[in-house]
Amino acid sequence: MNSHVNNDQSKRRQRIIALVAEILELDDPKSIKPTDRLREDLGMDSLGSLELLSTISEELKLDLEMEDAMGISTIEDACAFVEHHYAEQHPNE
Amino acid sequence: MPNNTLMSDPIVQSHQAVREATDRSMLGLVVEQARRFAAREIDPIAFDRAAQLPRRVLKAAAEAGLFGLAIPESYGGLALSLGDICQVVSELATRDGSFATSIGLHNGLGTRGLIAYGSQSLKEKWLPKLASGEAIASFAATETGAGSDLMAIRTTLTPRGEQVRLDGEKSYVTNGGFAGLYTVLARSPEMGGARAHSLVCVPRDTPGVEVGAEEHKMGLRGSSTVTVSFDGVMLPMENVLGTSGQGIAYAQHILTWGRTIMASGCIGAARNALNAVLSYVIERKQFGRSIGHFGASRAHVATMAAKLWAMEAMVERTGIEDINGGSIDGISGATKVFCSDEAFDICDRAIQLHGALGFLSDLGVERLLRDARVTRIFEGANDVILVFAGTALIALSRSDAGRRCHATVEPDLEEVARAWERVEQELQESLDRVRKKYGVKAIRHQLVLQRLARAHIALQAASASLWRARAVDAVARSVARLSVQQLLATAKENLSTLESSEIDESNHLQVTEALYRLGAMPQPVRA
């Protein structure tokens, strides 16, 4: 059970990183570190951050509130934010 | 707070007042000189027909100091502020859009990067020439595949020892045909990271720089627009502006100047259109009366004046915010969108009021409309700026959005000031509803974002109109009142259509999907 959950979490994390790479037009998603800050380190503007979360919310069928999303600073924050809402909105998965 | 103590000293205040008065009086002289220069040297119809500015006019402009408006005094310029440059450019644009565009671009997009971010030695080498008009400046960012989306730029800048190498091609380069120095935005993945861009100054005579033929255009035909290509162009490292890799951030700052100066050009066109109308509608008689005395004409003329008032207010306010050191990222975009849209509408009304005569090119009013058209496209297409502005609005938390109150307004404008506050409140409530309804998916609803942005910009313009009406005469106050009333109506109209946005979006989707599939307008098939 736990390994299944961890596996899904890991897939979602990889998807977030792949999307960041896609939005930023980076050739190698591996160059992105969890501690990278979206704005300062990766040069992602607020439109890019919203694009990322909007795509995630569509793919994972999540309702993500604008106000909560504005507190996200790093890749790790984005992953934790998505996991938190995923657990809340899909409790049986 | 030593500064506050100093500023409260009456002697210092009096010195400050004298300095400001001297600055005002110098600006007045520069504007007056620009007006005389324009009347003497500029023949807008001839420039439009020849599709170029004569060399002698550029030379005369250089002698009149029009290329040195923005450049620091130590390099031979006038060191005018953004707001002051706008006053000069709007004066020139009242005579001719093409000439004003050339001067405005040199003093804004063309030289701003070098002045703000250039090294000491690069400035010493180029600014005196740019101030004297010996060299004219240009800015090259757009490419055929990268317009509003600057991140799609393909031109590259790569380090080569002590030098950098530039390769690529830039399109729609204003002033490009006669420029001596280009500020070029390029990708520089080896200088600042995979997504990095840098700005680099490129002298025209560098081997590998090739300037294309002049484009044939709908308007601003006297101005120069060319493609410039760079093939293995080698440049000294010092030609890279500021910190390499910061090009997009620098370009955004440069664009705040470019957009505000461009908006001041729109003011000139609108003023020209209104002046032409005022002399015509009284003189022209139909049904036994001057057409200007008919209610339908009065509606056009009064609206033109109200819009022009707000345009001038927006540009003036943006200039003051820049002097005060605040960010003008948002307001310069709003000013650009507002002034370009309104200038086009004012020029269109001017043609309407002139009737068939307005359609003839000898009068020159149709040229104003043609010239104004591109301002809604270049330096950021209005549609795109509106989407970005709408996104920025919903991304702000409520406390960030704030409510700009008018501390003091004239007593007879109190009523519209209170109405402004009510509509501003409606906007804030609409923003909350949109945030709640769509969450982060709001960015997928461009129609919603644009309507919010249009409402916000109308409110900003109304606020600027009220602010500009401090201590003015009764006629100006009546223009300001009408301006605020009309802008509040625009804001309310945009807010009222938010509710139907999803139906509108769904209808647009249905129709366009069919049209894109068919590739043409279908003929109806009847049962």
Side-chain angles (χ1 to χ4, degrees), chain B residues 105 109-110 138-156 166-174 176 181-187 197-200 202 226-228 230 247-248 250-252 254-255 259 378-380:
Chain B
L105 193 124
L109 292 182
S138 179
F139 183 76
T142 304
E143 298 177 6
T144 47
S148 295
D149 179 10
L150 286 180
M151 296 308 288
I153 279 174
R154 289 289 165 264
T155 296
T156 54
L166 182 69
D167 291 280
E169 189 173 272
K170 295 291 179 182
S171 315
Y172 312 117
V173 183
T174 305
L181 188 72
Y182 303 89
T183 300
V184 180
L185 182 65
R187 287 176 86 97
H197 290 70
S198 297
L199 281 173
V200 63
V202 186
V226 296
T227 292
V228 183
F230 308 98
I248 293 284
Y250 294 164
Q252 276 165 353
I254 294 167
L255 270 173
R259 286 173 175 167
F378 65 17
E379 298 191 29

Side-chain angles (χ1 to χ4, degrees), chain A:
Chain A
M1 178 72 178
N2 270 346
S3 71
H4 168 69
V5 169
N6 286 341
N7 198 22
D8 282 354
Q9 270 189 14
S10 164
K11 275 186 190 160
R12 285 193 287 274
R13 169 183 289 266
Q14 277 170 23
R15 181 62 189 139
I16 289 171
I17 291 174
L19 270 174
V20 171
E22 209 175 292
I23 292 166
L24 299 179
E25 295 180 34
L26 298 178
D27 296 332
D28 182 16
K30 289 195 190 85
S31 64
I32 299 172
K33 299 186 291 292
T35 51
D36 279 348
R37 292 166 300 175
L38 297 175
R39 180 180 286 274
E40 294 85 348
D41 300 325
L42 297 170
M44 192 182 245
D45 57 18
S46 56
L47 194 66
S49 307
L50 286 175
E51 178 66 41
L52 167 72
L53 293 170
S54 183
T55 307
I56 290 285
S57 76
E58 282 161 358
E59 287 188 8
L60 301 179
K61 296 187 173 38
L62 287 177
D63 288 326
L64 301 177
E65 290 212 4
M66 182 75 68
E67 211 158 316
D68 302 338
M70 289 302 112
I72 292 172
S73 167
T74 62
I75 291 283
E76 194 58 62
D77 289 348
C79 295
F81 176 77
V82 168
E83 282 315 314
H84 172 76
H85 284 82
Y86 195 86
E88 234 177 42
Q89 294 173 32
H90 301 277
N92 300 323
E93 291 177 28

Side-chain angles (χ1 to χ4, degrees), chain B residues 238-366:
Chain B
E238 74 152 5
N239 283 34
V240 178
L241 295 180
T243 307
S244 57
Q246 295 297 311
I248 293 284
Y250 294 164
Q252 276 165 353
H253 164 72
I254 294 167
L255 270 173
T256 64
W257 273 57
R259 286 173 175 167
T260 311
I261 292 172
M262 198 205 77
S264 72
C266 294
I267 290 173
R271 210 184 277 152
N272 195 341
L274 180 58
N275 289 345
V277 159
L278 291 178
S279 50
Y280 182 74
V281 294
I282 298 301
E283 181 191 302
R284 168 79 169 165
K285 290 194 168 56
Q286 289 285 277
F287 307 106
R289 294 169 70 187
S290 293
I291 61 167
H293 291 140
F294 291 110
S297 303
R298 288 187 194 274
H300 278 303
V301 176
T303 298
M304 290 167 80
K307 284 172 182 254
L308 179 55
W309 173 272
M311 290 164 69
E312 291 174 335
M314 281 290 268
V315 169
E316 198 179 328
R317 188 138 147 179
T318 308
I320 285 181
E321 290 203 13
D322 187 64
I323 283 188
N324 290 341
S327 162
I328 59 165
D329 285 358
I331 195 158
S332 61
T335 299
K336 186 270 184 190
V337 168
F338 181 75
C339 290
S340 56
D341 278 351
E342 299 298 44
F344 190 76
D345 181 74
I346 288 171
C347 294
D348 188 50
R349 287 173 193 267
I351 292 179
Q352 193 67 21
L353 284 165
H354 278 87
L357 187 60
F359 196 64
L360 304 183
S361 55
D362 281 352
L363 189 73
V365 179
E366 59 83 37

Side-chain angles (χ1 to χ4, degrees), chain B residues 305-317 338 342 406 408-410 413 416-417 420 457-472 476-488:
Chain B
K307 284 172 182 254
L308 179 55
W309 173 272
M311 290 164 69
E312 291 174 335
M314 281 290 268
V315 169
E316 198 179 328
R317 188 138 147 179
F338 181 75
E342 299 298 44
H406 310 283
T408 51
V409 291
E410 298 298 318
L413 293 173
V416 285
W420 180 91
I457 291 173
L459 280 160
Q460 281 180 299
S463 165
S465 289
L466 273 172
W467 163 82
R468 188 173 182 235
R470 298 164 342 269
V472 294
R477 288 204 303 279
S478 68
V479 176
R481 187 184 308 108
L482 180 63
S483 160
V484 177
Q485 286 166 339
Q486 293 192 340
L487 287 162
L488 294 184

Side-chain angles (χ1 to χ4, degrees), chain B residues 484-513:
Chain B
V484 177
Q485 286 166 339
Q486 293 192 340
L487 287 162
L488 294 184
T490 302
K492 286 171 83 157
E493 188 189 331
N494 277 285
L495 295 179
S496 72
T497 54
L498 279 174
E499 288 299 318
S500 65
S501 292
E502 278 186 44
I503 299 170
D504 295 339
E505 282 174 338
S506 156
N507 288 338
H508 298 164
L509 182 76
Q510 198 179 355
V511 170
T512 51
E513 283 293 307

Side-chain angles (χ1 to χ4, degrees), chain B residues 150-226:
Chain B
L150 286 180
M151 296 308 288
I153 279 174
R154 289 289 165 264
T155 296
T156 54
L157 188 69
T158 32
R160 289 284 184 276
E162 298 292 300
Q163 293 185 300
V164 283
R165 175 185 164 136
L166 182 69
D167 291 280
E169 189 173 272
K170 295 291 179 182
S171 315
Y172 312 117
V173 183
T174 305
N175 280 3
F178 44 69
L181 188 72
Y182 303 89
T183 300
V184 180
L185 182 65
R187 287 176 86 97
S188 60
E190 292 173 44
M191 300 161 69
R195 265 168 56 86
H197 290 70
S198 297
L199 281 173
V200 63
C201 282
V202 186
R204 182 199 187 100
D205 57 7
T206 316
V209 176
E210 195 169 324
V211 179
E214 288 291 340
E215 304 285 1
H216 302 289
K217 307 188 292 278
M218 170 185 179
L220 295 180
R221 287 166 51 80
S223 69
S224 165
T225 309
V226 296

